[in-house]
Amino acid sequence: KAGMGPTAARRAAAIQVRIFIPSMGIFKGMLVKKRTRNGAPIELPWSMQKVKPSTHPNRLPGGFILINKYKVHPSSANEMIGKKLDPASKDPSEKGFKVRIAKPLTALVIRLWETLGVPADLCEQYKTESVNPDRRNHAWLVGVPDPTGALPPDTIFVPGIKKQRPYDIFVTRMPCYAREHGRKFGAITQKPHRMSDADWEWLNNSISFGVIMFSNPRPGKISIPERIANGDLDGDLYLVCWDKEVVDSMTATPLVDEPAEDDGKLSTVPSNPNWFHEAQDVNFRKVQSKYSHLIGTLYRLAEKKADQSEKKLDDPDSRALYEAYNDALEYQKHGRPIRVPKHLIKELRKELHHLVQAI
């Protein structure tokens, strides 16, 4: 129960875990609540496997589960939004609502909306009004796989938004610095053909508001989260907005099937034989914070280029700088080069030039 009381444990829809089973391997990701009548109490998809089973002849029996108590969903903020959305619940007080939901939308999300065609004045109006319960039509929800396996490909489902009429939902994740990082989906308001009546009833009445469920990809294709700013299902939060005025005014890039680069199986041989030494180097540099100034500089320059351009995030210089910013964030984890177009390097301070690679 991850330190929760029985009521909170029953309300939990998803938890972030690390699972260590010597006979099976090491697994990481989100466990999502599932309707089961028989079978194993915990199902581990092989996509969660990060380390192969131990080959030691005297490996330990059994296994261990570590639960991240800070990644148990729904969050307190989403519990509050869920109460507002539930016609059977008493509306939360404005004071209590604002205590839990204090942060307005970030500037990067607003830029993405403007890039997708949402008028600037509507963006600012919604940003201001959405701190109040009456206009809070967005939330940061944790991404999870479809526990029924019956959602149609390229669809999503958000438990807790109980609307009878069709409506559209906008989805993105941070950092959302490109047009294709924002997607629109038609909400599922009727039972899909392949889903049982019992599963449909369970989805609508047994899962608390606080998660966004992604359908399984078509065979050989990448998942929906991977096509939303290269997301995943290991605790990533996705901005979900269902405000009709905002969503109706935007034009998002349609989802297109993309082939998966691998079969999802783990390799027994590291792709980079120098991975250990490079990891040590990256961690040392991270401790020294050598790249923190570069990260901030790239972000501010990208922000400036987008704000000065009518194209917003479609501006090529802004896009290139945001890509470099993302490279810098990833560098601290993976050590990959930070690539900056040659004509933009001169806008960096000279002491930062040796940290980037010209393209």
Side-chain angles (χ1 to χ4, degrees), residues 137-200:
N137 295 326
H138 75 271
W140 291 94
L141 308 180
V142 68
V144 298
D146 167 25
T148 70
L151 289 176
D154 289 341
T155 62
I156 62 168
F157 184 75
V158 181
I161 304 181
K162 299 181 178 181
K163 292 187 178 184
Q164 301 301 318
R165 296 180 180 179
Y167 64 100
D168 288 336
I169 296 177
F170 168 81
V171 182
T172 190
R173 69 176 283 275
M174 295 296 282
C176 52
Y177 55 81
R179 172 182 290 272
E180 64 271 20
H181 291 172
R183 305 291 191 177
K184 279 175 69 171
F185 298 86
I188 294 179
T189 57
Q190 295 183 336
K191 182 183 77 67
H193 175 70
R194 292 180 54 245
M195 187 177 292
S196 69
D197 291 338
D199 276 345
W200 179 244

Side-chain angles (χ1 to χ4, degrees), residues 103-330:
K103 293 183 179 179
L105 285 169
T106 65
L108 197 51
V109 170
I110 296 298
R111 286 191 195 93
L112 177 58
W113 283 5
E114 291 183 12
T115 303
L116 297 179
V118 183
D121 56 347
L122 176 56
C123 289
E124 287 304 316
Q125 178 188 10
Y126 180 78
K127 178 181 176 181
T128 301
E129 294 179 358
S130 64
V131 296
N132 298 309
D134 291 343
R135 191 79 191 270
R136 184 63 174 213
N137 295 326
H138 75 271
W140 291 94
L141 308 180
V142 68
V144 298
D146 167 25
T148 70
L151 289 176
D154 289 341
T155 62
I156 62 168
F157 184 75
V158 181
I161 304 181
K162 299 181 178 181
K163 292 187 178 184
Q164 301 301 318
R165 296 180 180 179
Y167 64 100
D168 288 336
I169 296 177
F170 168 81
V171 182
T172 190
R173 69 176 283 275
M174 295 296 282
C176 52
Y177 55 81
R179 172 182 290 272
E180 64 271 20
H181 291 172
R183 305 291 191 177
K184 279 175 69 171
F185 298 86
I188 294 179
T189 57
Q190 295 183 336
K191 182 183 77 67
H193 175 70
R194 292 180 54 245
M195 187 177 292
S196 69
D197 291 338
D199 276 345
W200 179 244
E201 180 72 15
W202 178 81
L203 276 184
N204 281 280
N205 296 296
S206 298
I207 302 290
S208 303
F209 178 81
V211 302
I212 174 172
M213 297 178 175
F214 295 99
S215 64
N216 293 328
R218 293 180 178 86
K221 307 299 180 181
I222 66 173
S223 66
I224 297 175
E226 291 173 285
R227 289 176 282 167
I228 303 178
N230 198 31
D232 60 36
L233 299 181
D234 185 26
D236 276 7
L237 295 179
Y238 293 82
L239 174 68
V240 176
C241 178
W242 57 94
D243 187 87
K244 180 174 175 55
E245 189 176 6
V246 171
V247 178
D248 284 355
S249 64
M250 64 174 63
T251 302
T253 303
L255 278 178
V256 177
D257 270 341
E258 299 178 31
E261 294 182 357
D262 56 50
D263 58 6
K265 297 180 180 178
L266 292 178
S267 171
T268 57
V269 180
S271 58
N272 178 5
N274 299 317
W275 69 271
F276 184 71
H277 294 295
E278 290 185 7
Q280 287 181 312
D281 187 43
V282 170
N283 286 332
F284 173 76
R285 295 182 185 188
K286 183 176 181 180
V287 171
Q288 297 299 316
S289 298
K290 287 184 65 176
Y291 286 74
S292 59
H293 182 57
L294 176 64
I295 291 171
T297 299
L298 290 169
Y299 183 86
R300 287 189 294 272
L301 281 175
E303 191 175 48
K304 180 180 177 182
K305 296 288 185 183
D307 288 343
Q308 290 176 342
S309 173
E310 293 183 356
K311 296 180 179 180
K312 298 299 178 182
L313 295 179
D314 285 339
D315 180 82
D317 284 351
S318 173
R319 173 67 180 261
L321 288 165
Y322 273 124
E323 291 281 6
Y325 159 75
N326 194 54
D327 284 345
L329 292 176
E330 292 294 313

